[in-house]
Amino acid sequence: MIKHKIENAKGVTLTTLAITIAVLMILVNVIVYNVGNNLKLGRLEEMKADIDNLRGKVSSYYAQYGKIPAEIEYTNVEHIRKAGVISDEVDKGSFLVIDLSALENLTLNKGKDFEKITKENVNEYTDLYIINETSHNIFYVAGITIDDKTYYTDYTAEDIDKNSVTLNYIDGVKIPEGFYYVGGTKETGLVISDVEGDDLDNTKQGNQFVWVPVPNIDDFHTVAGYYNNGIEQEAYWKSCIEPSTYGYTKEMAEYEEMKNSVKIHQGFFIGRYETGKDTNNKVVVKKDMPAYTNITWGKSITDDTGGAVELAKNFANEKESVVSTLCYGVQWDATMQFFDSNYGKGTVENTSYVKNGEGKGWYTNNGSKNPQHKTGIDVDNNASNCVNNIYDMAGNVWEWTMEVTSSNYRVHRGGGYNNSGTSFPSASRSGNIPTRQGTDLGFRIALYLKAEKDWSPIYDAEGTYQDKNGDTAYIPEGFCVSQLPGENTIDEGLVVKDSNDNEWIWIEVPKSIYTTATSSTDYTNIEKDMQAYASAYRMSSYVDKYYSQAQHGFTNETEYNNWKNSMLTSVYEKGGFYIGRYEAGRKEENSSNQPAVIQQGYYPYNNVTCSQAQKLAKELNKNNTNTTSLMFGIQWDLVMKFIEAKGVKPQDELNSDSTAWGNYYNTGYYVTRGYYYNNNYGFLNTQSNYYKNGNVGVLLTTGATERNCVLNIYDIAGNVNEWTLSYNNYSSYPCTYRGGYYGDIGYYYSAYYAIDTNVSYSTMDTGFRPALW
């Protein structure tokens, strides 16, 4: 039958067959071409997606760390330049290989050669993404070729001058919004201007400021400086203080705000020139302007209106990124140390004009014949009155500061045109009535960056955070990480925030401590290794052991052990745990029906028993997947060890005497962001007061002063005793709290100290701090 069908089939003419074959060949060629072209276009789109992904990651990294994630230079870029997508106007400086290992949650289609490169062989590879250090434009070295054209980035030659970033960090220094980098470095004097395109000659006449680095906040304090006639008088220096003990509470709060900014950003800006005035008597910080003299400090010792203070404060009141102030004395001293690293360190080396104005500055013995010169003028044509790009901090005119020298006198610094430079170098100071005016007395403006909170995106799943030092921390789902300098590294105290705005600090427990533990369920040996690691902070009679539910909130021993074991496993696996940045707080004083919060400026959650505190701590976790709890005793010990290991406090300040940084009745400090109880146990609705000595002490709201902060952890020494789950082997007093309180003495009740009490203990001096794992 098949044969019959073939024999009876109709034939096809040769002409028809030829036409059919020709048409088929055309169609096949079109299909082959389109498939090939689509594959190439797909690879191009993959490259563009990679670059878009990298641009977002690099931008976040840059905002967080002030630098791009790239160090190895790539010089073989001539083929990209010939393609017309590298701009001489925008892509200035070096091209660097993007460090893909520094970027979190990154998935790329290309760039596989990154794993092979070294500084020596980098130019041998092409499957790499590189970035220009100035423009932050990103290029794929190998390129994607379609027909005769090769693409290296996600824009064309027509757009090469449009793709650049605003450089909001230079040399690790944040350039505030509304200002522009002019020149110099952090070491030689980094200059900014509020006019784009300005230069070091100030030809665009922008207001210019210079960055003064303060890498260690402990060095940011008033320094002994020369008094009249070059004599360093200790008694006089010690009376020149800020904030003062004279009750100027408004200044204390401003001072602490400024100091906190300096701590976070590791520096501040100071006027490049003495304050000048233009033809309309407007305050300016520009070159070649008459100095703004004949100006009072203010109307009185406590009234800062109508003079230099008010003019300085108003200078930047339209800027959202900075605050302007009259230069504080501590800022002046930090600038002196910037000029001469020996300043304030007990040695005298006249490497600058800090301690000897001979030949430096505009003084009578250096050729001064006119009352004063204009701002920023090189007095002898070789910039002898300019150090680190800052002019005339020696001579020309004295400059008012915020320092106080008595209940009647404010302080001006640096000497004037009618003084001798030998007697009145730049570090010198002199007191005067705040209404004093003269042609030899002006002022200088300082700027500090507003310390606004800046957080990473919320983690949509639990993950790992890597800081700029390469150290890592576990981040729970729903949390975000602070991106503020001083809060975004583990060595400085990593701050994270949960979905309820509670803030937590990561306590690192290195994996290297486990010498006997063999797995995450080897609970006995995990605890044993932890105890050995933190042995300096353990008290032998206090152990993490079950006791009855009425005392710490567990229904039975099995529940307690499961709770404890989950903590041991988590710390072992994740390399640490979190504790509250602040003691637990509440919005209303003495109200027991409120949820606890771990936030700044709240009443301490006191007057609770241990079991009540544990219940409140557990409630903090009700919207999250992690565990919140009172700390076990071993966790408190590990916190102490963490503080010691990071070099912030030596062992004896943790386990022997915490007076210097804890809230005890034998200490003195300024309350700058909160309130306190007085000796009658009533709450004072007063901010920013100095408290020193008393028979009872004062109870602070959470995070009230920087003095009592270590690694971003507030009040772990003093303020309130803090409940833990630790057990003291004494039936009448089994409950344990740690750290001392405001009515204790710091050298008896140090940060590590443990105290036992009964199950019903509940007073205003005992609260709690939760842990999270």
Side-chain angles (χ1 to χ4, degrees):
M1 184 178 293
I2 293 175
K3 183 178 179 182
H4 177 74
K5 283 187 177 182
I6 291 175
E7 288 177 344
N8 288 283
K10 294 182 179 182
V12 179
T13 64
L14 291 174
T15 303
T16 302
L17 181 60
I19 292 171
T20 301
I21 292 172
V23 170
L24 287 172
M25 289 180 67
I26 292 170
L27 289 173
V28 168
N29 284 335
V30 169
I31 292 169
V32 170
Y33 174 80
N34 283 342
V35 170
N37 205 37
N38 283 339
L39 288 173
K40 293 174 183 176
L41 286 171
R43 288 195 291 270
L44 178 61
E45 290 305 312
E46 286 179 347
M47 181 194 75
K48 289 182 177 180
D50 278 359
I51 290 176
D52 186 59
N53 191 5
L54 284 168
R55 185 175 288 118
K57 298 287 186 183
V58 169
S59 178
S60 296
Y61 188 96
Y62 180 66
Q64 185 170 351
Y65 300 122
K67 62 181 181 179
I68 56 176
E71 294 181 357
I72 298 178
E73 185 174 2
Y74 195 91
T75 59
N76 190 16
V77 297
E78 196 56 34
H79 62 297
I80 305 176
R81 194 179 299 278
K82 287 179 178 178
V85 289
I86 290 179
S87 166
D88 292 334
E89 295 297 320
V90 173
D91 300 311
K92 299 177 181 178
S94 299
F95 292 86
L96 307 171
V97 177
I98 298 176
D99 182 358
L100 304 183
S101 67
L103 303 175
E104 298 178 5
N105 302 319
L106 178 67
T107 301
L108 297 177
N109 299 294
K110 305 186 183 305
K112 302 298 187 295
D113 282 347
F114 171 73
E115 298 175 356
K116 307 173 186 176
I117 65 167
T118 65
K119 289 183 178 180
E120 291 72 29
N121 69 9
V122 61
N123 283 326
E124 300 173 13
Y125 295 96
T126 59
D127 187 14
L128 295 169
Y129 285 103
I130 60 175
I131 185 170
N132 181 264
E133 65 176 349
T134 302
S135 67
H136 296 191
N137 283 333
I138 298 171
F139 304 89
Y140 179 55
V141 177
I144 301 295
T145 301
I146 299 179
D147 295 337
D148 296 327
K149 187 171 182 180
T150 303
Y151 299 84
Y152 297 98
T153 189
D154 58 348
Y155 58 87
T156 63
E158 289 76 18
D159 295 321
I160 62 172
D161 291 334
K162 299 178 182 178
N163 290 272
S164 62
V165 297
T166 301
L167 294 176
N168 50 354
Y169 283 91
I170 296 290
D171 206 10
V173 176
K174 185 173 183 179
I175 309 302
E177 184 179 352
F179 289 85
Y180 307 90
Y181 172 64
V182 171
T185 67
K186 186 163 61 176
E187 287 73 29
T188 63
L190 189 149
V191 183
I192 62 171
S193 171
D194 61 1
V195 173
E196 190 171 8
D198 206 358
D199 54 28
L200 291 174
D201 289 329
N202 200 206
T203 55
K204 294 292 183 68
Q205 282 288 281
N207 293 294
Q208 294 194 344
F209 293 83
V210 177
W211 180 253
V212 178
V214 183
N216 186 348
I217 194 64
D218 291 336
D219 295 331
F220 191 59
H221 54 76
T222 305
V223 175
Y226 282 88
Y227 181 44
N228 294 354
N229 299 315
I231 300 172
E232 199 166 36
Q233 294 188 357
E234 183 179 19
Y236 183 82
W237 158 63
K238 287 186 174 180
S239 71
C240 297
I241 54 177
E242 66 210 355
S244 75
T245 58
Y246 301 114
Y248 307 147
T249 57
K250 179 181 176 183
E251 289 175 32
M252 295 177 207
E254 291 170 349
Y255 172 84
E256 286 294 330
E257 181 181 282
M258 178 273 293
K259 185 176 179 180
N260 189 44
S261 172
V262 172
K263 174 186 174 183
I264 290 171
H265 298 286
Q266 297 188 333
F268 61 93
F269 290 99
I270 195 168
R272 190 181 185 198
Y273 314 106
E274 291 166 325
T275 306
K277 55 183 175 182
D278 62 15
T279 54
N280 297 316
N281 284 331
K282 180 181 178 181
V283 168
V284 293
V285 186
K286 301 177 181 180
K287 184 177 182 178
D288 201 23
M289 293 288 175
Y292 207 127
T293 58
N294 283 306
I295 182 75
T296 65
W297 182 90
K299 289 182 179 177
S300 72
I301 190 70
T302 56
D303 186 348
D304 61 13
T305 61
V309 180
E310 185 174 23
L311 290 174
K313 286 182 179 180
N314 290 339
F315 174 80
N317 57 8
E318 296 181 0
K319 302 286 187 183
E320 296 183 357
S321 57
V322 295
V323 176
S324 60
T325 66
L326 185 66
C327 184
Y328 279 88
V330 68
Q331 290 175 309
W332 191 283
D333 286 322
T335 309
M336 298 297 100
Q337 189 165 352
F338 182 39
F339 291 167
D340 185 346
S341 60
N342 291 297
Y343 180 67
K345 296 184 178 180
T347 58
V348 178
E349 290 189 14
N350 299 319
T351 56
S352 73
Y353 62 179
V354 170
K355 291 196 171 185
N356 187 348
E358 185 70 33
K360 301 285 188 179
W362 193 233
Y363 297 105
T364 55
N365 60 325
N366 291 341
S368 170
K369 295 181 175 60
N370 299 312
Q372 60 183 254
H373 64 74
K374 290 186 176 182
T375 57
I377 302 301
D378 298 337
V379 297
D380 57 2
N381 297 318
N382 66 5
S384 67
N385 57 323
C386 178
V387 179
N388 291 359
N389 282 321
I390 304 172
Y391 282 84
D392 291 317
M393 290 193 82
N396 202 37
V397 297
W398 287 94
E399 301 180 25
W400 282 119
T401 69
M402 293 297 291
E403 278 190 15
V404 183
T405 183
S406 72
S407 59
N408 297 313
Y409 280 12
R410 291 286 177 168
V411 176
H412 42 72
R413 305 288 296 268
Y417 62 85
N418 58 357
N419 298 130
S420 162
T422 306
S423 300
F424 296 93
S426 57
S428 63
R429 42 170 50 93
S430 185
N432 226 310
I433 58 172
T435 53
R436 192 259 186 184
Q437 293 175 272
T439 59
D440 62 346
L441 182 55
F443 65 103
R444 190 177 301 258
I445 296 171
L447 303 177
Y448 64 89
L449 294 154
K450 290 184 179 178
E452 297 176 353
K453 280 293 184 184
D454 187 14
W455 299 96
S456 75
I458 295 172
Y459 279 60
D460 55 9
E462 64 178 20
T464 300
Y465 170 81
Q466 184 178 58
D467 66 21
K468 65 182 179 181
N469 302 318
D471 298 324
T472 59
Y474 162 74
I475 308 298
E477 178 184 352
F479 281 56
C480 52
V481 181
S482 175
Q483 296 190 344
L484 283 179
E487 295 185 357
N488 60 5
T489 68
I490 293 163
D491 283 349
E492 296 171 294
L494 180 69
V495 180
V496 302
K497 181 176 68 170
D498 65 24
S499 58
N500 295 315
D501 292 330
N502 296 309
E503 295 184 20
W504 307 83
I505 306 296
W506 176 249
I507 305 301
E508 181 184 58
V509 182
K511 297 288 183 71
S512 59
I513 75 167
Y514 302 107
T515 58
T516 61
T518 57
S519 71
S520 60
T521 56
D522 188 2
Y523 307 123
T524 299
N525 284 323
I526 290 174
E527 185 175 18
K528 176 182 174 183
D529 289 338
M530 288 179 177
Q531 290 172 346
Y533 176 62
S535 60
Y537 306 103
R538 291 193 52 71
M539 299 184 74
S540 58
S541 62
Y542 295 87
V543 294
D544 292 321
K545 178 182 176 181
Y546 173 76
Y547 55 103
S548 76
Q549 66 185 67
Q551 297 166 12
H552 62 13
F554 292 97
T555 58
N556 54 54
E557 187 172 3
T558 299
E559 182 187 357
Y560 175 90
N561 287 338
N562 288 341
W563 194 265
K564 176 183 170 182
N565 290 341
S566 74
M567 179 274 292
L568 294 173
T569 295
S570 177
V571 176
Y572 179 88
E573 291 180 340
K574 295 181 171 63
F577 60 97
Y578 286 97
I579 65 167
R581 186 179 189 183
Y582 311 101
E583 293 165 328
R586 55 186 166 195
K587 293 183 179 180
E588 296 178 19
E589 181 185 357
N590 294 327
S591 174
S592 60
N593 297 318
Q594 301 173 69
V597 295
I598 315 300
Q599 299 169 30
Q600 190 177 68
Y602 284 81
Y603 301 104
Y605 215 127
N606 52 10
N607 286 307
V608 290
T609 65
C610 181
S611 60
Q612 290 171 336
Q614 172 66 350
K615 182 179 179 181
L616 288 164
K618 284 183 177 180
E619 285 293 309
L620 283 163
N621 181 52
K622 60 184 179 181
N623 296 325
N624 298 302
T625 58
N626 296 84
T627 298
T628 50
S629 168
L630 293 184
M631 278 188 263
F632 286 90
I634 186 60
Q635 288 179 292
W636 191 281
D637 300 336
L638 290 169
V639 173
M640 298 295 103
K641 183 63 180 179
F642 176 68
I643 294 171
E644 177 209 321
K646 295 306 175 185
V648 180
K649 295 293 177 186
Q651 194 176 108
D652 63 344
E653 287 195 26
L654 293 161
N655 62 10
S656 297
D657 188 353
S658 301
T659 303
W661 56 283
N663 178 23
Y664 303 98
Y665 83 75
N666 63 321
T667 59
Y669 46 81
Y670 292 93
V671 180
T672 55
R673 287 195 300 272
Y675 310 102
Y676 62 83
Y677 287 98
N678 67 8
N679 292 348
N680 296 320
Y681 300 95
F683 213 75
L684 295 179
N685 191 27
T686 304
Q687 272 188 301
S688 305
N689 279 277
Y690 182 78
Y691 174 78
K692 183 170 178 60
N693 294 329
N695 295 324
V696 179
V698 294
L699 174 59
L700 301 176
T701 50
T702 55
T705 173
E706 284 296 309
R707 175 195 178 274
N708 302 345
C709 178
V710 178
L711 289 172
N712 291 313
I713 306 167
Y714 287 81
D715 296 312
I716 202 159
N719 208 42
V720 294
N721 297 308
E722 301 183 19
W723 286 119
T724 69
L725 296 177
S726 186
Y727 167 68
N728 179 52
N729 193 19
Y730 182 28
S731 59
S732 298
Y733 297 94
C735 303
T736 304
Y737 49 74
R738 304 287 293 266
Y741 83 108
Y742 62 89
D744 286 331
I745 299 174
Y747 50 81
Y748 285 151
Y749 300 93
S750 59
Y752 103 117
Y753 201 78
I755 310 169
D756 52 82
T757 189
N758 60 58
V759 298
S760 61
Y761 189 80
S762 171
T763 68
M764 68 173 298
D765 55 36
T766 304
F768 66 99
R769 184 189 309 264
L772 181 148
W773 62 84

